[in-house]
Amino acid sequence: MLQFPLHLAVLTSRPEDTTEGQPDSLLQRHRTDIWCIVESLFIHDGPFLVVRLVVMTYYKVINQMLAFFAIKNLLVVSLQVYRLLVIYQDYRSSV
């Protein structure tokens, strides 16, 4: 139940006091995206992937459903890490 109060896809916009000469920091520019990625990695798909991999390797329980969801979680985690790297590269190229 921890995943529902932390959903940050919709935030209320508030006027920010920024000066024209200063560039935005990485967290100011992509605050919502970074929080959504971190939430996905550490609350949603990351722990499920770890549990499924432990069950498959340590307890030697392998079935189609477990393998399917482990692959799905692995894909989501890898895509979220890729998304985080793209955000960082975009920020580095603009600064």
Side-chain angles (χ1 to χ4, degrees):
M1 296 303 284
L2 186 62
Q3 67 186 347
F4 299 112
L6 293 177
H7 190 65
L8 300 171
V10 179
L11 292 176
T12 59
S13 61
R14 57 184 166 87
E16 296 181 10
D17 297 329
T18 59
T19 60
E20 294 292 325
Q22 290 181 333
D24 291 336
S25 71
L26 178 65
L27 290 177
Q28 287 176 340
R29 273 180 143 180
H30 303 287
R31 175 180 42 227
T32 305
D33 290 332
I34 291 172
W35 277 111
C36 287
I37 292 169
V38 168
E39 176 187 5
S40 174
L41 288 176
F42 292 112
I43 294 178
H44 294 200
D45 292 303
F48 285 117
L49 176 64
V50 170
V51 167
R52 287 183 176 122
L53 290 178
V54 166
V55 168
M56 289 172 71
T57 57
Y58 184 75
Y59 293 108
K60 308 264 191 280
V61 175
I62 298 175
N63 57 34
Q64 288 181 346
M65 186 177 72
L66 190 62
F68 172 78
F69 283 112
I71 292 170
K72 176 244 180 216
N73 289 129
L74 182 66
L75 286 173
V76 170
V77 166
S78 62
L79 287 173
Q80 292 294 344
V81 169
Y82 174 74
R83 184 175 168 206
L84 193 61
L85 290 173
V86 167
I87 289 172
Y88 179 68
Q89 289 295 326
D90 180 49
Y91 172 73
R92 270 187 57 191
S93 67
S94 68
V95 171

